[in-house]
Amino acid sequence: SFDAGIIGSVLKKKKNHALRLFPNPTGGMVQLRIESKIMVDLEGDLRVQDLHGETLLRQSIHTAEPQIDLGGFPAGIYVLSVEINGEHFFKKVVKK
């Protein structure tokens, strides 16, 4: 007999970064905040996708607080796909 909880905790990788975004819902501008547990230069890629997975916007990230302008997008739900130093994050954002 074995404890699946122990195996699950051993296999679970801790992330070195955390991603927050605000305001959500938004009328246009979205502020991201990337919090890092390690001191590295931030290199990343950000994509705004619709719920069908189509990429509508793509930009490089070189700062811990990038901004995204969703003002030209119609109201709806979008997915922000962010890759930072090899780690992937997905956040939903509502455009009013």
Side-chain angles (χ1 to χ4, degrees):
S1 162
F2 65 92
D3 185 346
I6 293 173
I7 292 173
S9 65
V10 170
L11 297 177
K12 192 174 199 180
K13 181 184 173 198
K14 298 284 185 189
K15 293 196 179 233
N16 290 317
H17 300 88
L19 178 67
R20 304 193 192 299
L21 67 92
F22 54 92
N24 192 11
T26 182
M29 292 301 290
V30 176
Q31 177 74 50
L32 294 177
R33 181 165 296 143
I34 302 164
E35 298 168 357
S36 181
K37 295 179 185 174
I38 57 175
M39 296 300 292
V40 295
D41 291 331
L42 284 176
E43 287 293 326
D45 183 60
L46 176 136
R47 295 173 195 232
V48 177
Q49 299 173 310
D50 63 18
L51 292 180
H52 301 287
E54 182 180 343
T55 299
L56 307 172
L57 174 71
R58 182 177 180 176
Q59 69 186 51
S60 295
I61 297 174
H62 303 287
T63 176
E65 295 190 3
Q67 291 185 337
I68 305 152
D69 186 2
L70 299 179
F73 290 87
I77 299 172
Y78 297 92
V79 176
L80 298 183
S81 170
V82 180
E83 183 271 325
I84 306 163
N85 298 81
E87 293 181 339
H88 296 273
F89 300 88
F90 299 93
K91 296 280 188 181
K92 285 186 183 175
V93 63
V94 176
K95 165 69 169 52
K96 296 190 277 186

